[in-house]
Amino acid sequence: MEIARTVEEARRIVRGWKKDGLDIGLVPTMGYLHEGHGSLIAAARKENARVAVSIFVNPTQFGPNEDLARYPRDFERDRALCENMGADLIFHPEPEEMYQGAQAFVDIGLLADTLDGAARPGHFRGVCTVVSKLFNIVQPDRAYFGEKDAQQLAIIKKMAFDLNFGVQVIGCPIVRESDGLAKSSRNTYLNAAERAAAPVLYRAIQHGKSIIKKGMPAQMLISEMEKVLAAEPLAKTEYVAVVDAMTMQPVDTIEGAVLVPLAVRVGSTRLIDNFSFAPQG
Ligand code: AMP
């Protein structure tokens, strides 16, 4: 496994792979890897001759009052995990390497204005910009993203199509702890009481899944899920929504395929989760 810390080193390695006609899978991450990331690397390993993992805590996707400085980092542990999972390259640049003097950014419209985009202004602009840069540097055939960040996945798919990146964007299922909490690097922020409270998101999802059906008013589902969340004193709901799975715009009634995303603060930690539903017939 090789480690590239500059764009030029990564390009040199990628050029060698391209010359040999090898197809490339890319797994973009911010590091502090867990089994959720591992499942993306495993999927990439299965489907590509070469696998690149990027580890980059991307400053442009953090708001001024967010957790950029304290975001967890452990490169040695990440390196070992990537090696064990059979990755061929880690691209691990410094922020200056990626953004020195940068003035061009990638904006995406409507899809990024709702949900996490509304709660975190500029977040998806940062995500789209860094993913565009990674696509240009690594030139992957396929790129792997988690369904945990469902709005991000929809945005990256649309961006790759609209900007003709020629990259196949593949979504991978949410990996959970045994009590249902979605694995996340940010779970490390939770103290013991908060960690015990955090599976309330999953309980709300389970309840939602058990009652959702075609023709149901979205507000009825939202209220039911909010009731579950409200029963946990350490949890403060930011939003529960029912949106069209493609456009991320709210729906009134559940007719076609929908995404049901939620964002909840447990203590000061912001957790997100979701489930999808597609009515039969
Ligand atoms: P992050 O390092 O948090 O930016 O995540 C990097 C990638 O891993 C994103 O595509 C995430 O959606 C994905 N990911 C994070 N957590 C999970 C999880 N629990 N299950 C599946 N994918 C995940």
Side-chain angles (χ1 to χ4, degrees):
M1 188 180 72
E2 298 191 80
I3 296 172
R5 291 178 190 273
T6 66
V7 172
E8 200 35 57
E9 280 165 24
R11 281 197 197 283
R12 181 183 51 74
I13 293 162
V14 167
R15 266 199 303 274
W17 293 347
K18 295 271 177 197
K19 191 159 66 63
D20 293 340
L22 302 170
D23 59 348
I24 302 171
L26 170 66
V27 180
T29 83
M30 297 207 299
Y32 213 71
L33 304 179
H34 50 67
E35 287 163 44
H37 301 110
S39 74
L40 271 50
I41 300 172
R45 183 67 287 166
K46 250 192 230 145
E47 296 168 1
N48 302 275
R50 292 291 179 268
V51 173
V53 179
S54 61
I55 297 180
F56 179 58
V57 182
N58 174 36
T60 63
Q61 70 189 69
F62 287 78
N65 300 315
E66 293 185 354
D67 55 342
L68 173 62
R70 71 177 189 125
Y71 194 85
R73 294 160 167 91
D74 187 343
F75 183 70
E76 273 319 302
R77 210 186 60 157
D78 290 348
R79 195 193 54 72
L81 190 136
C82 289
E83 182 106 60
N84 286 340
M85 304 257 351
D88 299 289
L89 167 66
I90 298 179
F91 179 46
H92 183 47
E94 292 295 324
E96 303 74 52
E97 175 68 10
M98 291 293 269
Y99 285 112
Q100 190 87 65
Q103 298 203 9
F105 289 84
V106 179
D107 257 316
I108 186 157
L110 216 53
L111 269 171
D113 290 343
T114 58
L115 309 172
D116 275 8
R120 305 180 66 187
H123 171 66
F124 286 120
R125 181 184 201 241
V127 169
C128 286
T129 301
V130 79
V131 171
S132 299
K133 289 162 77 71
L134 292 169
F135 283 3
N136 283 330
I137 295 162
V138 177
Q139 296 172 43
D141 297 275
R142 299 174 196 86
Y144 297 80
F145 293 84
E147 289 172 357
K148 172 170 170 284
D149 300 281
Q151 185 179 14
Q152 168 174 280
L153 174 60
I155 287 172
I156 300 294
K157 279 187 175 165
K158 185 81 172 93
M159 180 191 79
F161 178 83
D162 287 356
L163 298 183
N164 309 98
F165 273 109
V167 177
Q168 191 186 345
V169 175
I170 297 167
C172 299
I174 301 174
V175 177
R176 299 180 178 282
E177 304 287 354
S178 56
D179 60 8
L181 176 64
K183 286 188 185 264
S184 167
S185 310
R186 289 192 166 97
N187 291 349
T188 179
Y189 298 152
L190 301 168
N191 67 29
E194 291 163 353
R195 176 62 189 82
V200 72
L201 279 82
Y202 187 59
R203 288 200 299 280
I205 285 175
Q206 293 294 80
H207 181 54
K209 278 186 177 174
S210 74
I211 58 170
I212 193 168
K213 57 174 193 280
K214 189 171 180 180
M216 186 180 206
Q219 194 50 54
M220 184 185 289
L221 178 69
I222 292 170
S223 304
E224 282 288 320
M225 291 175 64
E226 282 176 346
K227 259 190 252 166
V228 176
L229 294 166
E232 172 48 67
L234 291 180
K236 198 166 160 290
T237 304
E238 222 173 73
Y239 66 74
V240 179
V242 182
V243 299
D244 180 280
M246 298 287 282
T247 66
M248 299 289 127
Q249 300 307 306
V251 302
D252 290 333
T253 310
I254 293 153
E255 298 292 355
V258 293
L259 174 75
V260 183
L262 53 156
V264 178
R265 277 194 195 272
V266 177
S268 62
T269 304
R270 187 174 186 275
L271 300 177
I272 59 169
D273 207 331
N274 68 82
F275 73 95
S276 297
F277 175 75
Q280 304 300 315

